[in-house]
Amino acid sequence: MRPFSKRSLALSLILLSVAGCSGAGSGTESSDAPGAESPAPSENAPGRTPDTTGPSLPSTSTTEGSAGDTTPTPEATPAPLSACAMPAGLPLQQGSLRTWLGTVPINASGSEGFREPGGTELTAFERAFGKLLATGPSAERVLDFAQLGYSLSSYRDADSGGGWLVLAEQDRTRGGGTFIINLAPARDLWLETPHADSDAGTLRQGAEQLVALGARALLITGTNRCAGAAASPCSGTTGVCGTTGLRASDVAHYANNFFTAAHRALRDAYPQGIAVSVHGMDVSEEGPEAAVVSDGTSKDRASSLSVRLRDALNQRLPAGPRRAFSCNAPDDSGKHRALCGTTNVQGRIDNGAGDACYADAPSASDRFLHLEQASTLRGTGAAADAVIAALADTVPCSLPGNGLGCPAVASLTACR
C-alpha cells in the first residue's frame, strides 16, 4: 500500500471530520494503555531514561487553505456500522484481500530491518488501536497513526464482499507490521502470524483463515524473526536463527513492538476473545505430528480449549499416519512437549503472567491457542481446509458477520 502524501492525509482528515465514519468494533473505549513491560536492549532497558517526547506531529495542515495550522480537526462521532457500510473519507482499496495480504512487506532475515519503538510510541499505538476498535475510524485516529508512521485505509474484499480496515506501515524500514480489522466479524476470534516470513505458508494461511472464519482481526509481523542481530532478553531458547538465543526482531518472543501493542489492545477490547497464534514446525518423516496445539502452557488439562481443537483437527484431517497432538492432553505423546508456546509473550499476557518477558503463565485462560503445523497443513488442499474447519468447530459463531458455518444476519455477498 502506498504511504499517504501530505495532501492525501489532509484530504482524508477533512472528509472524515465532515462526513463522520462507521464504528469498527463493539467494545468500549479503552483507558490509557500501560507501557511496554519487557526490558529492551536499547532505550527501554533498565537504568535508561524512557522516551517521553513522543513522535513529532506531521507538518501537514488538517484543513485545506490553512497552511501552517497543525491543530487537529475535532473528532466526529462515528455513525452506527451496518454490515455493508464502508468508512467515509478513508482511502479505499478493492480486490482480493487474500491475494493482497500475501504481498505485505516483511523485512528479511539478516536485514537489520527491525527498529524498536520507544516506550511513548508503544503506549500511543496501543491507545490509538484500542480507540479504533471501540469507536471506529475518525480524523483523530488517522492523525494518531500518521504520527506513528502508519496509514489507515479501508478495503473492500471482492471475494466475500466484506469490509476491512488496514493499518499499514509507511516507513517499511522499521518492521512494525501490518494489521487488518474486520468491520463485520462473525467470531470472537483473531489471528496472529508472528513468524509469517520464517514459517513458510503461515502468511497465506492467516489470510485465508481471516476471511473464511470471519475473524475479528489479523496481526502480521513486519520482520523475519531473524531480521536483527540484537538479542531478546526474554526467557526461552531456539536454534532457528543459528544461535540458541532469541532475537528482539522475533515478535513472539519480545514485547516492545507494535505487534504486541496491537495484541494488548485487542485483549483489552475483547477480554473473552480467542487469540490464535499460527506457526509452522519442522517434523521429520518419522514423526507422528501433523499439528501440535497448546493453550500457551504445558499443563495437563483434559478440558483445555487446545484439546478441543486437537479433537476437531483429528476428525477433519485426511486419513494418514500423522495426527494432531495437544500439550495439555495427559495421554498424548511424541515431540509435542517442546512445542507448547510457553515462552510466547502474547500467550503469557493472555494467561496472566506477571512479566510476559520472563515469567511462565501460572495458569491457562483458554483465551489463547498456539498452533504448530507440519508443512502439509500450511499448504493448500484438504489438510489446510481441515485446519479452517477445525477452528470453526472450536470457536462458535457469536457475532452477526459472515463466516464459515455462521448464519450471518446480513450476507456480505449482497454488498458487492
Side-chain angles (χ1 to χ4, degrees), residues 173-387:
T173 62
R174 298 190 69 176
T178 303
F179 310 104
I180 317 300
I181 299 170
N182 193 347
L183 288 172
R187 287 180 165 86
D188 198 6
L189 159 78
W190 69 86
L191 299 152
E192 302 182 352
T193 53
H195 299 153
D197 187 36
S198 53
D199 290 0
T202 57
L203 176 58
R204 181 208 58 77
Q205 187 178 43
E208 291 284 345
Q209 292 172 354
L210 173 71
V211 177
L213 295 169
R216 285 195 183 276
L218 171 64
L219 311 185
I220 304 172
T221 181
T223 67
N224 184 287
R225 66 189 301 184
C226 307
S232 167
C234 299
S235 59
T237 60
T238 181
V240 170
C241 298
T243 61
T244 57
L246 302 168
R247 305 288 180 90
S249 52
D250 183 347
V251 297
H253 298 286
Y254 192 54
N256 291 358
N257 48 65
F258 292 139
F259 187 99
T260 303
H263 175 92
R264 290 184 187 279
L266 281 159
R267 177 54 62 208
D268 185 60
Y270 311 117
Q272 301 304 310
I274 309 299
V276 181
S277 189
V278 182
H279 297 262
M281 61 183 182
D282 182 15
V283 180
S284 68
E285 292 301 321
E286 295 77 22
E289 297 92 354
V292 176
V293 192
S294 85
D295 57 19
T297 78
S298 57
K299 302 178 186 300
D300 289 344
R301 297 178 62 241
S303 62
S304 172
L305 187 67
S306 82
V307 176
R308 287 163 49 195
L309 179 56
R310 177 207 66 179
D311 293 344
L313 269 171
N314 284 332
Q315 291 173 5
R316 295 282 190 173
L317 285 173
R322 294 188 180 179
R323 311 305 293 160
F325 289 74
S326 170
C327 293
N328 310 111
D331 297 330
D332 272 4
S333 59
K335 303 177 182 178
H336 64 281
R337 290 296 177 187
L339 298 171
C340 297
T342 57
T343 60
N344 182 290
V345 296
Q346 292 83 38
R348 284 175 165 178
I349 290 167
D350 287 354
N351 287 326
D355 186 316
C357 184
Y358 292 123
D360 286 342
S363 60
S365 65
D366 275 339
R367 298 292 178 263
F368 179 81
L369 285 169
H370 187 271
L371 177 60
E372 293 275 3
Q373 306 161 93
S375 58
T376 53
L377 275 64
R378 291 175 273 138
T380 58
D385 292 343
V387 178

